[in-house]
Amino acid sequence: MHIPDGFLDTKTLLITNVFSLAWLALAVKKVNQHFTAYKIPLMGVLASFVFTAQLLAFPVIGGTSAHITGAVLLAVILGPYSGLVIMATILLLQALLFQHGGIITFGANLLNLGIVGVLAGYAIYSIRKSFYTAAIAALITVEVGAICGALELAFSGRLPLKAALISMGSANFIAGIIEAFVTFAILQVIQKVRPDLLKLETI
Amino acid sequence: MRHSFFDKYSELDTPIHRMNPKIKLAIFLFFLVLVSFLKIHLIFFLIALGLLSVLFAIARIPFVFIVKRIAVIMPFLIFIIIFIPLFQDNTWAVAGLTFARALLSIMALVLFISTTRFPQLLKELESIGVPKMIVEILSFIYRYFFVLVGELERMELAVKARAPGKKHRLLYKGFSSMLGMLIIHSYERSERVYQAMQLRGYDDGRDEE
């Protein structure tokens, strides 16, 4: 769920942008410090992969469609900070090219999909590093991300809180389940074909 | 494959396309901030709408394309309008303000992106302080996206050839294993590309140039 420009009020915009951009700046710094070898080609290719995968919408009940976010997948393969940088890049590109999400609402969308998706997703995954926890993390973060979006819209006075929570939460539940299954299955495929890809240096 | 997928109409040659991208980006960002943070009066809305329409006409961007792009905000707008009865005070004003802001912002965004070439945009993004890492990843996506889509098309063709008549994309297993293979193929490609770059003298260090 990418919030376009114009849908949030001043205080929500300021809070989410400051919060998210601070995290992004930290992530860029961490990745720059940690990666001694030049990892940009790898990050670039994985970013292209997630960007492509996000364009594949699959139908959900009732004529709506959803796509995977790949947030937890990125966190598992590359680590939380590089995953956040990639997610921010993809969000920026989607906002610019397809107007999915906005420029001024970038911070809000980065919070819902990047910080919740990648950072919180990684935190859940690192409790016990297995594909099952990754799948659970995917389900939880898609749902929590949607709830964050609902809270931002309600906080901006655009939607009544209760209605926003119920509708966003339930609408994204199916997307969350699909994200969990797809994340799990992709990790299994990688484990089977190129297990070394899951043992990369992460940050 | 359509290579204009990224920056459709940005290759046209009109006064707006020729405009200095730095100035264009500055005006664009200023406009977005203005629209998002200030109260919008009806007169301002109408003037801005008229101005944007004139600019679109000068830039020769097709009307259908603009409308299709604007449609992105519709689900959100409908959503807000549905819940108006559940709200108490002056909600139509809120809905109207939201609509005005969203419409003007998205029109400006469409105008900006369809009159600026992607490589040019990347250069400007770096000059306004977007981290170099992000700009580099963006330029990577710009180059590799088409390769990945081509790869995906070949895989779909292979699946069709082996399992005719199956709507494989709907099947979770087929969908996931296809994505899994895509990620592996792209990783292996990145290894090959990187080795080729190194062989030709590409430096590992972060501080070249």
Side-chain angles (χ1 to χ4, degrees), chain A residues 28-202:
Chain A
V28 169
K29 207 175 133 201
K30 287 265 185 195
V31 177
N32 262 332
Q33 278 173 352
H34 189 82
F35 279 165
T36 43
Y38 203 75
K39 278 280 167 67
I40 296 294
L42 177 60
M43 286 174 75
V45 165
L46 284 178
S48 314
F49 165 76
V50 174
F51 183 74
T52 313
Q54 289 199 356
L55 290 178
L56 297 174
F58 41 83
V60 184
I61 310 156
T64 54
S65 65
H67 64 77
I68 65 156
T69 70
V72 172
L73 192 68
L74 281 174
V76 170
I77 296 176
L78 279 176
Y81 292 115
S82 9
L84 184 65
V85 173
I86 292 178
M87 216 40 152
T89 312
I90 292 170
L91 287 174
L92 179 65
L93 195 60
Q94 285 172 335
L96 285 169
L97 295 182
F98 315 128
Q99 293 77 47
H100 287 177
I103 301 298
I104 310 292
T105 53
F106 178 73
N109 288 322
L110 186 60
L111 173 62
N112 305 344
L113 298 155
I115 291 173
V116 168
V118 183
L119 293 189
Y122 188 79
I124 297 169
Y125 169 70
S126 41
I127 294 171
R128 192 173 160 272
K129 294 193 176 183
S130 76
F131 294 173
Y132 290 102
T133 35
I136 292 166
L139 172 66
I140 293 174
T141 54
V142 167
E143 192 64 18
V144 172
I147 288 170
C148 282
L151 286 175
E152 285 152 14
L153 285 167
F155 195 49
S156 299
R158 301 296 194 267
L159 290 173
L161 181 64
K162 218 168 146 190
L165 283 178
I166 293 168
S167 49
M168 292 281 176
S170 55
N172 280 279
F173 189 64
I174 297 168
I177 289 176
I178 293 173
E179 178 88 21
F181 273 109
V182 172
T183 303
F184 185 81
I186 290 180
L187 286 172
Q188 265 187 331
V189 172
I190 297 174
Q191 176 73 44
K192 211 159 73 187
V193 185
R194 280 289 298 263
D196 59 311
L197 235 165
L198 296 173
K199 294 188 186 75
L200 298 173
E201 184 192 11
T202 58

Side-chain angles (χ1 to χ4, degrees), chain B residues 131-156:
Chain B
K132 191 162 187 280
M133 188 184 294
I134 288 181
V135 176
E136 280 177 319
I137 296 172
L138 279 175
S139 69
F140 232 98
I141 301 179
Y142 184 57
R143 294 189 191 105
Y144 275 83
F145 171 70
F146 306 103
V147 179
L148 289 198
V149 171
E151 189 105 35
L152 207 57
E153 281 172 355
R154 276 198 297 283
M155 279 157 71
E156 280 198 80

